[in-house]
Amino acid sequence: MLKNTLLASIFTLAGISLAQAQTCEKNFKVSGIPLVTAVSYKSSQSFPKVKQAEALKRLAQAVAAEGFSGITVDKNLGAIDAHQETSGSGRPQTLRVVARSQGGGTLVNAVFNIQPGQVTTNEVVRSGICTIIRAAAG
């Protein structure tokens, strides 16, 4: 307990929230009801010594390596948009990755959305999103 309080205090003093200091896997969240509504999978991770422009380039390469299509990179927004169609339904799943400057580093957020009626497992999405997010570090 004291250790967590001490860590939270250190991160607060450094201007970093405890959630941002955690790994992608620990920040992973899911919202929506599988098969009934759209489902969003989200995660983030902070990279204290990685420059935003270099992170964005690495992230775009990782998105392509994970099999996404229609990849667009907006350097002004620090955003990558992509999609994939794996269900055969013609209804794509979408991915948005954003790399924002944060102090001397970069905060990376990713959101993967699947449409109502589509299903996947949390483990598969967590692994894929975190592989992409970790690519920011090189």
Side-chain angles (χ1 to χ4, degrees):
M1 183 73 157
L2 180 60
K3 182 180 176 184
N4 288 345
T5 303
L6 180 60
L7 282 174
S9 297
I10 290 169
F11 289 130
T12 301
L13 289 173
I16 301 171
S17 76
L18 191 56
Q20 292 169 338
Q22 293 181 349
T23 65
C24 175
E25 288 80 8
K26 291 197 186 246
N27 290 330
F28 186 78
K29 296 186 180 6
V30 180
S31 61
I33 303 168
L35 292 174
V36 178
T37 67
V39 180
S40 289
Y41 302 87
K42 302 176 184 180
S43 195
S44 63
Q45 187 168 340
S46 183
F47 300 93
K49 296 180 181 177
V50 177
K51 299 294 179 201
Q52 189 263 356
E54 189 59 34
L56 192 63
K57 178 181 171 186
R58 291 175 184 152
L59 290 163
Q61 291 170 339
V63 169
E66 286 293 312
F68 284 86
S69 302
I71 300 168
T72 60
V73 179
D74 186 327
K75 291 180 182 180
N76 292 328
L77 295 177
I80 301 163
D81 289 298
H83 65 272
Q84 64 181 186
E85 204 293 300
T86 58
S87 66
S89 68
R91 300 177 337 161
Q93 300 92 35
T94 60
L95 174 69
R96 181 167 186 91
V97 182
V98 178
R100 294 182 290 176
S101 292
Q102 179 187 56
T106 301
L107 173 63
V108 178
N109 294 289
V111 180
F112 179 68
N113 295 302
I114 64 171
Q115 298 186 33
Q118 296 176 332
V119 294
T120 186
T121 66
N122 291 352
E123 293 77 22
V124 167
V125 177
R126 181 186 306 113
S127 175
I129 283 179
C130 291
T131 296
I132 290 169
I133 288 175
R134 280 192 304 274

